[in-house]
Amino acid sequence: MPAIRRADEKLRDVSRRMILDRTASLLVRQGYGTTSLRDIAQACDMKAGSLYYHFESKDALVEEILTEGVNRVESAVQKALDAMFDAAPLDRVRVAMEVHLRTLHDRSDYASAHIRCFSHVPDDMRRRLRRTRRSYDAVWAGLLEAAQAAGDIAADVDLLTLRFAIIGMLNWTLEWRLPSGAGPEEMADRFYRIAFQGACNA
Amino acid sequence: MPAIRRADEKLRDVSRRMILDRTASLLVRQGYGTTSLRDIAQACDMKAGSLYYHFESKDALVEEILTEGVNRVESAVQKALDAMFDAAPLDRVRVAMEVHLRTLHDRSDYASAHIRCFSHVPDDMRRRLRRTRRSYDAVWAGLLEAAQAAGDIAADVDLLTLRFAIIGMLNWTLEWRLPSGAGPEEMADRFYRIAFQGACNA
DNA sequence: GTCTATAAAGTGATAGAC
DNA sequence: GTCTATCACTTTATAGAC
């Protein structure tokens, strides 16, 4: 009966995925400490005890979501970059901004849950998440170094500050309602224009 | 005995202020939901019940902190702007960035507590805080409009996007360790250079 | 002004029925 | 796989002693 077993596993995975999805959404809105297992269970049309069939603790569930949040952004950005490996360095930066912002505002809440909850999860979880982040940080450091080496970013611009600035303006969009009519791609283009041409230059 | 009454009131105010200070610090590190009254009491060398002499509820205490957080930033920025009312529009913007960032990173944690906890406090509190924010938002909207009207910001730059970008890069610095050696003022200057001259231009 | 004691409700987690 | 029932603990908040 491998077919039946496979069907069972698939059903289990579907439930598991639903729990992850809905918990991510709760974490974005309520934060880590304010979201209880009973809240989560209710959002999943379940009872709190049933969650332990799928996850061994609240923190294991939360950590899986926040980890997947970074990984989704990194792999989306990396995939887009791989498809344009020979493009101009600044074009690669612009695309990375677009994909980062689009992933942050897509229908799933994994990336936003990470951003909203990172600083308030227990210390040991945050330590592990920091390690997961490093790989994505390296992608950005490499992008900006390449652009500066090519002479496309002024030599006197500090790349760490520039990285802070770009990631900061992108991530902070979670705190606003984006202007209606301007999707993530349009917003990313406007941010790119500001950060690289500057607001002063026509 | 008005002297004695005044001394009593002063002592009461000192305790109250200490509670506010230390709770702000806890809120930054632990978030709204994870910070309990026992945590707060312990940080104040008190017992939980004693806090109710000074504040009528946990939420009243938290709301006072987060409200003061915005107000401190706004009045610091407004005071600096008042002292240079005839300066060039972009100089006023640069100073506003510096004061905003300096207040965010000063020894007290009111402003950072606001930023870190805003999205996770109860709905009705957040609604009131949003109203408090509006006044500060208007300061920035005015600053940028004046600069664009003077021709110092390119006509095709969307001012709402620019405001998102500036506030975003400034507030996001709470999530990084600032480069050692670069204080808030230095960082604000670098951000100003990026946002207004652009990273491309030497 | 701070304490102790306690109420009333909520928390993460486990055991065992189905 | 989900339920019910429950444990042990924590939570906000109150009452009354000092």
Side-chain angles (χ1 to χ4, degrees), chain A residues 144 156-169 195, chain B residues 101 169-170 172-173 176-179 182-183 186-195 199:
Chain A
L144 298 178
D156 69 319
V157 167
D158 177 63
L159 292 188
L160 187 60
T161 306
L162 181 58
R163 182 150 65 85
F164 282 7
I166 292 174
I167 300 294
M169 55 178 101
Chain B
L101 199 61
M169 56 178 103
L170 296 178
W172 197 255
T173 58
W176 318 91
R177 231 170 31 115
L178 291 188
E186 166 70 16
M187 285 302 288
D189 279 348
R190 294 184 193 175
F191 284 141
Y192 174 84
R193 189 255 198 253
I194 289 170

Side-chain angles (χ1 to χ4, degrees), chain A residues 92-105:
Chain A
R92 288 164 59 80
V93 170
R94 190 179 41 72
V95 166
M97 290 175 69
E98 278 176 13
V99 175
H100 180 108
L101 199 60
R102 191 193 314 138
T103 310
L104 221 57
H105 290 268

Side-chain angles (χ1 to χ4, degrees), chain A residues 40-152:
Chain A
I40 294 170
Q42 191 178 24
C44 299
D45 304 301
M46 298 176 82
K47 300 295 174 179
S50 314
L51 295 168
Y52 285 87
Y53 174 79
H54 298 280
F55 300 92
E56 73 172 344
S57 70
K58 175 187 177 182
D59 281 356
L61 166 57
V62 170
E63 183 162 349
E64 185 165 333
I65 291 167
L66 303 199
T67 302
E68 189 164 334
V70 210
N71 289 340
R72 282 186 182 209
V73 177
E74 174 172 359
S75 58
V77 167
Q78 192 59 64
K79 185 180 164 190
L81 290 176
D82 288 346
M84 61 182 300
F85 62 92
D86 53 354
L90 279 188
D91 281 337
R92 288 164 59 80
V93 170
R94 190 179 41 72
V95 166
M97 290 175 69
E98 278 176 13
V99 175
H100 180 108
L101 199 60
R102 191 193 314 138
T103 310
L104 221 57
H105 290 268
D106 70 8
R107 256 183 77 243
S108 84
D109 287 313
Y110 294 76
S112 8
H114 177 102
I115 289 177
R116 281 269 177 92
C117 298
F118 175 77
S119 49
H120 298 147
V121 297
D123 284 347
D124 55 324
M125 191 194 302
R126 193 168 51 258
R127 223 173 296 126
R128 289 188 294 275
L129 290 171
R130 222 186 289 274
R131 269 186 39 221
T132 308
R133 282 178 167 206
R134 266 188 217 134
S135 156
Y136 184 51
D137 286 346
V139 172
W140 273 95
L143 274 175
L144 298 178
E145 278 162 26
Q148 195 172 47
D152 295 342

Side-chain angles (χ1 to χ4, degrees), chain B residues 96-200:
Chain B
M97 289 175 70
E98 278 176 11
V99 176
H100 180 106
L101 199 61
R102 192 193 313 138
T103 310
L104 222 55
H105 290 267
D106 70 7
R107 254 183 78 243
S108 83
D109 288 313
Y110 294 76
S112 8
H114 177 104
I115 289 178
R116 280 270 176 90
C117 298
F118 175 78
S119 49
H120 298 146
V121 296
D123 284 346
D124 55 325
M125 193 194 301
R126 195 168 52 258
R127 220 173 299 125
R128 289 189 293 275
L129 290 171
R130 223 187 290 274
R131 268 187 39 222
T132 308
R133 283 178 168 208
R134 265 188 219 134
S135 156
Y136 185 51
D137 287 346
V139 172
W140 273 95
L143 273 175
L144 297 178
E145 277 161 27
Q148 194 172 49
D152 294 341
I153 290 176
D156 69 319
V157 166
D158 176 63
L159 292 188
L160 187 60
T161 306
L162 180 59
R163 183 149 63 87
F164 283 6
I166 292 174
I167 300 293
M169 56 178 103
L170 296 178
N171 287 354
W172 197 255
T173 58
L174 288 181
E175 308 300 321
W176 318 91
R177 231 170 31 115
L178 291 188
S180 64
E185 291 83 1
E186 166 70 16
M187 285 302 288
D189 279 348
R190 294 184 193 175
F191 284 141
Y192 174 84
R193 189 255 198 253
I194 289 170
F196 290 93
Q197 265 78 57
C200 290

